[in-house]
């Protein structure tokens, strides 16, 4: 028996949900500061007279900060979003502020171990920001996890280019000014997000879910416009002070453009109310009961889950941390993630020295390319994977497998050191690194649920410091120092393709192993993604009716 039931969020709540997403996008657009080390690493190496291994270990300390993201993951289940953002912003202000004091020569270089602590604080600050953003937004838009993950992670990818190009336009790419921006801008943006970003009830009707997809398309168009604009500036370069000021103003205006979406929603609701238009969704009672169960707020879902008696959850069910650890799937996902992000971080952390080894005096172009192509990898993979799941039940991990093969090709190309290889390598590595991050985030939530998602996400992120230590700190650092010559100041330098050739080849082999693990994951999850695909298609049928 069919019943006429109208279930929709209040207009103010829906508007606040989208305003919150806009502020989340802004936070993500400035929270990729961990990927900007190459922009000021040479200044630190010179001021502190470091060897390449010592410099790489500083970058490892930065990435080790992500290991303490476990604290943020635990806190996300107990504390509100605003508090997580406040902690992250203050920690970033202190961590990057101390580095600015050294690079600007405001103070003498701190002892090496003290610098490691400040680097760690700077790295850890983003785990609080990212955890607050991802957990809140995926719960708010839980029926569009792929697109929302792609958008948020995409802006993280753009953040390096945003910082780099703004600094280049306003301060001629000075490392001290760059660090000043890293310390102050995230602090201000997080204070703004604290006001608007909060957890709200997710959409519960087919029409609302479909409407979300339309608005995400708008977000994608705006984000792609920002990325193309940044890319154009990178290739055109600075044309004078007036040109650079104009570029900066337009860039800030583009970043503010997503506010059009909540403004549109508010205006639409006001007009609907004025004209007394009342649209009702016709949903059968059994389907409504199923939607209410799957779309309830996390707290309600947890209460319902606690009443069920299950010996061992299966993929797609809510998992505790221990239950997730007991599965083969978690560790396959963990190790394959290590192969992709660990090697990608090595390129990002060492781009300054990689460029210098091949004769480039300025590597800001390569840093920006890594960032922009990381954006395209994140936003394209998030949207395409969601479409393929809905239409053909394609397991999301298959996109990780494809990215591992492509990134291995990029490493081999960089090892060959043919003319332009660093450009093409930066494009490929940036794109595939973005795919890896954007795909793994929703995959983890689909496999193990949202009950402990904040903690599970941060456990997977442990791959960043672990991969940085293994591939950047040990592999790249030791191999570079073995090829380098000692300078009179006590540091060392290496010039030529041989400096990183063996490192690239080892990383290519690691990514091939990772590809095999991703194929295995895709095979093991094909039944789960058939169920997810059926659920998404069912909602489309309901909406048409």
């Amino acid at each position: 028996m069919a019943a006429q039931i109208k279930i929709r969020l209040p207009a103010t709540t829906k508007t606040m949900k989208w305003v919150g997403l806009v502020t989340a996008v802004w936070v993500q657009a400035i929270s990729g500061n961990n990927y900007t080390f190459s922009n000021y690493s040479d200044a630190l190496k010179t001021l502190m007279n470091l060897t390449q291994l010592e410099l790489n270990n500083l970058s490892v300390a930065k990435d080790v900060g992500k290991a303490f993201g476990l604290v943020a993951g635990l806190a996300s289940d107990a504390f509100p979003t605003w508090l997580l953002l406040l902690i992250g912003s203050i920690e970033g202000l202190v961590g990057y502020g101390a580095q600015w004091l050294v690079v600007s020569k405001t103070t003498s270089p701190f002892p090496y171990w003290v610098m490691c602590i400040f680097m760690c604080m700077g790295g850890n600050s983003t785990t609080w920001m990212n955890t607050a953003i991802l957990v809140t937004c995926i719960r708010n838009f839980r029926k569009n996890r792929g697109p929302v993950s792609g958008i948020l992670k995409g802006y993280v990818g753009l953040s390096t280019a945003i910082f780099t190009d703004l600094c280049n336009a306003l301060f001629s790419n000075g490392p001290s000014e760059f660090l000043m921006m890293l310390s102050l801008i995230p602090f201000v943006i997080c204070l703004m997000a604290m006001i608007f970003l909060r957890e709200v009830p997710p959409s519960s009707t087919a029409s609302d879910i479909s409407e979300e997809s339309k608005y995400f398309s708008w977000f994608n168009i705006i984000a792609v416009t920002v990325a193309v604009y940044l890319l154009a500036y990178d290739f055109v370069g600075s044309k004078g002070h007036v040109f650079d000021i104009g570029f900066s103003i337009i860039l800030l205006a583009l970043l503010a453009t997503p506010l059009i979406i909540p403004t549109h929603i508010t205006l639409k609701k006001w007009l609907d109310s004025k004209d007394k238009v009342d649209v009702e969704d016709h949903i059968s009672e059994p389907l409504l009961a199923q939607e209410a169960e799957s779309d309830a707020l996390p707290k309600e879902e947890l209460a319902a889950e606690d009443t069920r008696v299950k010996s061992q959850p299966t993929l797609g069910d809510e998992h505790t941390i221990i239950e997730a650890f007991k599965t083969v799937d978690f560790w396959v996902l963990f190790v394959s993630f290590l192969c992709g992000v660990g090697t990608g971080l090595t390129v990002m952390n060492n781009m300054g020295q990689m460029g210098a080894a091949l004769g480039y005096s300025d590597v800001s172009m390569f840093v920006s390319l890594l960032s922009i192509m990381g954006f395209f990898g994140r936003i394209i993979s998030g949207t395409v994977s969601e479409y393929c799941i809905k239409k053909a039940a394609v397991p999301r991990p298959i996109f990780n497998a494809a990215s591992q093969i492509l990134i291995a090709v990029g490493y081999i190309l960089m090892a060959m050191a043919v003319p332009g290889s660093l450009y093409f390598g930066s494009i490929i590595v940036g794109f595939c690194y973005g795919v890896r991050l954007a795909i793994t985030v929703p995959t983890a939530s689909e496999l193990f649920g949202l009950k402990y998602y904040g903690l599970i996400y941060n456990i997977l992120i442990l791959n960043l410091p672990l991969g940085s230590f293994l591939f950047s700190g040990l592999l790249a650092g030791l191999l570079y120092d073995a090829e380098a010559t000692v300078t009179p100041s006590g540091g060392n330098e290496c010039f030529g393709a041989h400096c990183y050739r063996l490192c690239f080849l080892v990383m290519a082999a690691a990514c091939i192993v990772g590809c095999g693990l991703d194929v295995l994951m895709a095979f093991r999850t094909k039944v789960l993604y058939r169920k997810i695909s059926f659920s998404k298609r069912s909602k489309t049928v309901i909406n048409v009716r």
Side-chain angles (χ1 to χ4, degrees):
M1 178 178 179
Q4 287 188 347
I5 303 173
K6 181 174 72 175
I7 301 176
R8 59 165 60 91
L9 298 178
T12 54
T13 302
K14 182 179 290 189
T15 300
M16 286 302 298
K17 180 168 74 170
W18 288 99
V19 172
L21 180 62
V22 172
T23 59
V25 162
W26 291 344
V27 172
Q28 295 297 77
I30 50 83
S31 64
N33 39 27
N34 273 342
Y35 304 120
T36 63
F37 184 67
S38 294
N39 282 330
Y40 57 92
S41 59
D42 276 343
L44 281 177
K45 185 176 182 179
T46 301
L47 285 169
M48 299 181 68
N49 292 325
L50 303 176
T51 65
Q52 187 61 35
L53 181 60
E54 290 172 331
L55 182 67
N56 282 8
N57 284 335
L58 271 185
S59 72
V60 171
K62 165 183 66 68
D63 295 324
V64 164
K66 293 186 175 70
F68 296 99
L70 292 175
V71 180
L74 288 170
S76 67
D77 291 327
F79 299 105
T81 302
W82 68 265
L83 183 57
L84 303 184
L85 290 171
L86 179 62
I87 294 172
S89 61
I90 292 175
E91 195 172 18
L93 180 65
V94 174
Y96 287 104
Q99 296 173 59
W100 170 77
L101 290 174
V102 173
V103 173
S104 64
K105 299 180 182 179
T106 303
T107 185
S108 301
F110 298 111
Y112 186 79
W113 66 272
V114 175
M115 283 299 296
C116 286
I117 292 175
F118 286 127
M119 296 289 291
C120 184
M121 289 182 66
N124 183 247
S125 67
T126 60
T127 66
W128 291 90
M129 299 178 197
N130 291 339
T131 299
I133 297 301
L134 285 170
V135 171
T136 304
C137 289
I138 284 183
R139 285 175 174 172
N140 287 351
F141 300 94
R142 52 184 15 204
K143 294 302 179 182
N144 282 286
R145 300 182 196 186
V148 75
S149 171
I151 290 168
L152 294 175
K153 284 297 183 181
Y155 273 97
V156 173
L158 280 182
S159 63
T160 303
I162 291 170
F163 275 125
T164 301
D165 289 351
L166 276 178
C167 185
N168 189 44
L170 299 176
F171 307 110
S172 299
N173 207 28
S176 63
E177 290 84 359
F178 187 82
L179 279 166
M180 179 180 65
M181 291 173 60
L182 290 185
S183 61
L184 292 179
I185 293 179
F187 179 76
V188 174
I189 297 296
C190 283
L191 291 181
M192 187 183 306
M194 286 166 55
I195 301 173
F196 298 103
L197 183 61
R198 64 198 65 179
E199 193 171 321
V200 299
S203 297
S204 59
T205 68
S207 60
D208 283 345
I209 294 170
S210 177
E211 185 182 47
E212 283 183 1
S213 299
K214 179 184 70 175
Y215 291 138
F216 283 133
S217 297
W218 293 10
F219 268 98
N220 286 339
I221 292 171
I222 295 169
V224 169
T225 303
V226 173
V228 172
Y229 182 69
L230 291 168
L231 192 61
Y233 178 78
D234 288 335
F235 282 105
V236 171
S238 176
K239 298 297 182 182
H241 182 67
V242 175
F243 178 86
D244 290 340
I245 293 296
F247 160 79
S248 301
I249 292 173
I250 295 174
L251 176 58
L252 294 176
L254 286 173
L255 292 174
T257 303
L259 283 172
I260 293 174
I261 295 172
T263 302
H264 168 79
I265 293 172
T266 302
L267 182 61
K268 179 182 176 183
K269 291 295 180 182
W270 180 77
L271 291 175
D272 287 348
S273 175
K274 183 178 180 181
D275 296 336
K276 297 181 179 180
V277 176
D278 188 17
V279 180
E280 296 186 348
D281 292 310
H282 299 266
I283 307 176
S284 65
E285 291 178 347
L287 286 172
L288 177 62
Q290 182 180 358
E291 287 297 307
E293 180 181 351
S294 62
D295 290 337
L297 273 170
K299 292 181 180 179
E300 295 171 354
E301 180 179 300
L302 300 188
E305 189 71 22
D306 289 339
T307 64
R308 303 173 188 174
V309 179
K310 296 189 297 182
S311 57
Q312 178 64 36
T314 59
L315 287 181
D317 293 337
E318 298 290 351
H319 286 66
T320 65
I321 302 303
I322 301 301
E323 288 169 343
F325 281 175
K326 290 180 179 178
T327 65
V328 173
D329 305 278
F330 179 87
W331 295 109
V332 171
L333 184 65
F334 186 90
V335 177
S336 69
F337 193 41
L338 173 66
C339 296
V341 299
T343 58
L345 268 178
T346 301
V347 175
M348 295 176 184
N349 289 339
N350 291 270
M351 183 53 74
Q353 289 66 51
M354 289 176 179
L358 295 179
Y360 295 98
S361 58
D362 182 10
V363 298
S364 61
M365 165 69 80
F366 304 116
V367 174
S368 189
L369 276 177
L370 284 167
S371 173
I372 294 171
M373 295 313 298
F375 158 78
F376 281 113
R378 297 170 206 229
I379 204 164
I380 291 174
S381 62
T383 302
V384 172
S385 65
E386 196 75 15
Y387 176 83
C388 291
I389 291 172
K390 181 178 179 180
K391 294 298 182 181
V394 177
R396 215 184 289 268
I398 204 69
F399 294 92
N400 279 337
S403 72
Q404 296 272 39
I405 288 293
L406 186 57
I407 200 172
V409 172
Y411 292 142
I412 292 172
L413 186 63
M414 295 170 81
M416 295 170 62
V418 296
S421 63
L422 204 57
Y423 285 97
F424 292 111
S426 297
I427 291 171
I428 294 173
V429 172
F431 183 86
C432 295
Y433 185 85
V435 171
R436 184 81 242 192
L437 285 175
I439 293 295
T440 302
V441 168
T443 298
S445 70
E446 288 161 347
L447 266 58
F448 307 112
L450 291 172
K451 186 175 183 179
Y452 295 101
Y453 177 68
L455 186 54
I456 289 175
Y457 166 75
N458 278 286
I459 291 173
L460 287 172
I461 292 300
L462 286 175
N463 277 300
L464 297 179
L466 179 59
S468 179
F469 171 72
L470 293 175
F471 292 105
S472 182
L474 291 182
L475 180 68
L478 290 173
L479 292 180
Y480 181 96
D481 284 344
E483 300 287 347
T485 56
V486 179
T487 62
S489 62
N492 62 7
E493 293 178 335
C494 181
F495 299 99
H498 63 284
C499 299
Y500 284 98
R501 178 172 291 129
L502 183 56
C503 176
F504 286 134
L505 294 176
V506 172
M507 292 194 300
C511 288
I512 292 173
V513 173
C515 175
L517 293 174
D518 288 323
V519 171
L520 174 62
M521 174 63 73
F523 178 78
R524 291 178 61 87
T525 58
K526 61 181 182 180
V527 174
L528 170 64
Y529 281 99
R530 284 199 199 106
K531 295 178 182 178
I532 295 174
S533 177
F534 177 78
S535 173
K536 292 179 182 294
R537 291 198 301 269
S538 298
K539 297 183 195 314
T540 302
V541 172
I542 294 170
N543 191 43
V544 170
R545 289 177 181 174

